Amino acid sequence: MSFLKFTPRKLTGPYSTHAYRYFSRPITTNRPHFPCVEAHAVRESQLRQTTSSSLSSSVSRNPSSASGPEPPYARPNPHSYHVYHDPAPLELTYGSTLPSFDIAYETWGTLSPERDNVILLHTGLSASSHAASTSLNSAPGWWEKFVGPGKALDTNQFFIICTNVIGGCYGSTGPSSIDPTTGNHYATNFPIVSIFDMVHAQFRLLDHLKVDKLYASVGCSMGGMQSLAAGWIHPERVGKIVSISGTARSSPSAVAMRYAQRSVLMADPNWNNGFYYDGLPPHTGMKLARQIATITYRSGPEWDLRFGRQMRSLPEQTSDKPRMPALCPDFLIETYLDHQGEEFCLKYDANSLIYISKAMDIFDLTASSLAANQLMPPPSASSTPTLSSSTAHKTSHSKSHPPPVNPPPHLTDLAEGMRPLSSIPTLVLGVQSDILFTVEQQREMADALRMAGNERVSYYELGGVWGHDTFLLDVLNVGGAIRGFLS
Amino acid sequence: MSFLKFTPRKLTGPYSTHAYRYFSRPITTNRPHFPCVEAHAVRESQLRQTTSSSLSSSVSRNPSSASGPEPPYARPNPHSYHVYHDPAPLELTYGSTLPSFDIAYETWGTLSPERDNVILLHTGLSASSHAASTSLNSAPGWWEKFVGPGKALDTNQFFIICTNVIGGCYGSTGPSSIDPTTGNHYATNFPIVSIFDMVHAQFRLLDHLKVDKLYASVGCSMGGMQSLAAGWIHPERVGKIVSISGTARSSPSAVAMRYAQRSVLMADPNWNNGFYYDGLPPHTGMKLARQIATITYRSGPEWDLRFGRQMRSLPEQTSDKPRMPALCPDFLIETYLDHQGEEFCLKYDANSLIYISKAMDIFDLTASSLAANQLMPPPSASSTPTLSSSTAHKTSHSKSHPPPVNPPPHLTDLAEGMRPLSSIPTLVLGVQSDILFTVEQQREMADALRMAGNERVSYYELGGVWGHDTFLLDVLNVGGAIRGFLS
């Protein structure tokens, strides 16, 4: 891979700090040039400089003071969160074992003397434990508006714990961690992890903190999967379950969209089969992957309202001649995707993206899948009471939302698998404009829980145009449903 | 870019002929290997061999007898279609000019003595002129079931012409063509082309064929855009318009999905700013782009039915232990996307994909956009009769489908721009599960035509799970609507 020579020139305007706004000097006068493509080489060049200088200096302890685009996950700041180190092995779903592991976590609120007010908050794919600002880290968290006094997760009442998941890169053990048995980064020697493994590690932390039972297990997106998995593994230790825009089994279209992301990432030569920690990260593949992901996080109707067919403004634009379209980002929707990709591509570890997105794909609470993975015994007609859609329901809520009359086989299979969740009050909330965790999957989850005999399923669908990202934005409706359910 | 050494080993099973089914010998015993990533290097290696051998031999005239993965568009077979060479310049929308141009075309049926039975069939993005088999080329065409005696486009009655579009790579002038002024491939010195430019070139062919007026202009997907553009440019030369899963202006989400494809393609080092014709094509970028495109062509519900959460079968699979998930394609939906990408990546020219997808993005029949591109004068209050949603309609059909009562501004803008189409009977057909050309855009198109005063708008929405690809599959409903409209 060879790179062009650059003469960076900073332009003004939105996103002016991003690399593709630097225009190169054309190599030959007859050939067009493409700032959006050259941006990858600019970033690579900057990374080379930073990598070579950081190799000869000590690791910065304060990410905010660090200069250059060195990935922040490569500069962990353990002063901004707690780390629980468990020296004992963690056995994983697919037969491997982590010899020991770390879990990064943060807390909000006060643990009651009875230790009965704990909410375990699960994150989406790429989030850290920093759900909200703390005394250790004043930066706003990813759910800042939902965690605090009087908020959806009310810190006047609850003690909230949020962890970085196993497989992640923000302080918990993941592919970028050092394998204690070799002294090298795990890279793609890291074992395949499942949503169940993430939750097992979280309960080891809860054991350490002497928390026997959660008041509630709460999560959004992938966190919704973990929230269900927590109740599934330890029904007696989970008081309530909240799943916001989650699913009990990933759909083929969600797998497809994550597969497309993994494909572009793994095709980046810098990915190097996952062994890039001593060199340059696959920043281009990460940018391209994030652009695809961003398409799945919002909705077309939102973009219609927000961007429509507006184009970015050009310094040289005049009104007396037609604007020449560019092959690089031109419409605002394109600059938006470019911006999202650029912002993310050095913030998160590529291997973590691959492993955790895979964990989401393979999550499946149907009885047949659980049995195939030896997570529960195969269903047998004699030992298993027959599921019925005509089960009597006691609460008025359940009466008004009975299970389906003639459920399709996959729904019966799912209800069978979700039986361990039958006595845990569960909030299922989904968004009609979500194309990643579709509303059909929310209905399926609620139906399966009810078929499994759960009489305390609260189910909400939200409208609006924010798609999957609604859980990050809609404090009024998402926050209100959670607050009501937890109180 | 360096490549691994391979010991190809062919496996059995579906898609076993594809490169990623060749497993490599691991470089070091401690590092995992990834057949899906190595497939790119395998393909590159095969291309290197083919390219070097083809450079020393004459170009094959028969694609079917050609061996190796050399792109078929690099081996044009002018014996299988007609080529109209126009020696005169073609002036383009955005100020550039093609000094001369070729249009590849095929025909079906018999031209009437009055030359009044001509249907111009427009293609989607990547299709050739080969809509159906001919005496020159017996291979099935992309719309084989829709073109022929007694079919939707009935060759007993009509003379059908289908062209490869300007910008394409199947015989018409495009980025892979030789620029007569330089003797080199145009590459990205090819000018930006618009849907209007494609249609202008088609009418130059019609002039050559002495066809004054089309019985109908028919198109699906991008062809729907061309179909509208034909009537817009030459209202007096188009008798009827058929738009199947088309649009009058691309939505931001469609632009986003095509932008993601262009991004991964242009990031492939082989793309080389578009100048790859003397070397290796960006086959990896093309594969990744096609995977993304494939996601937009079908629908989640179809994949639920077709693939569900089934995984590919493994030779070594046993039932007594959990199956270890792979980071390479594992679910059938993943192998499907991989297969689609692999099949396409050497069939189509990368620059054609970039230019034509851009032409789709910039197509916009709103009056404000047309005025900005100097395609029509800016609307003025005095010269333009006010559009009204309360226009009287004469036909019973229009009465049952009146224009909206309080149209939003963008719809008024679109109706204003579509006024040249007000007297051409138009069939608008869309599919509710289409995520690329959404049903909202179909409704918008029909509403705008009615607001523009068109009293002969036939409008259909189809259900079903086939998404955008419905126009290729649903002979009964799509074919039936077309046949009814044309008769």
Side-chain angles (χ1 to χ4, degrees), chain A residues 328-350:
Chain A
C328 277
D330 216 8
F331 288 99
L332 286 191
I333 178 64
E334 295 177 300
T335 61
Y336 167 76
L337 294 180
D338 180 284
H339 174 73
Q340 295 294 323
E342 196 72 37
E343 284 286 289
F344 184 74
C345 69
L346 294 171
K347 270 192 187 160
Y348 195 68
D349 178 45

Side-chain angles (χ1 to χ4, degrees), chain A residues 75-137:
Chain A
R75 298 179 262 109
N77 180 6
H79 299 301
S80 72
Y81 49 77
H82 309 291
V83 177
Y84 165 61
H85 174 75
D86 193 321
L90 180 69
E91 293 191 5
L92 304 175
T93 303
Y94 293 100
S96 303
T97 302
L98 287 177
S100 62
F101 64 96
D102 288 349
I103 289 286
Y105 69 100
E106 294 175 58
T107 69
W108 299 263
T110 307
L111 185 60
S112 65
E114 300 80 13
R115 296 174 182 264
D116 62 355
N117 69 333
V118 177
I119 290 178
L120 181 59
L121 172 61
H122 307 276
T123 73
L125 197 166
S126 59
S128 71
S129 58
H130 195 56
S133 50
T134 66
S135 58
L136 295 177
N137 183 354

Side-chain angles (χ1 to χ4, degrees), chain B residues 162-177:
Chain B
C162 184
T163 80
N164 183 223
V165 295
I166 285 286
C169 60
Y170 293 125
S172 294
T173 298
S176 58
S177 304

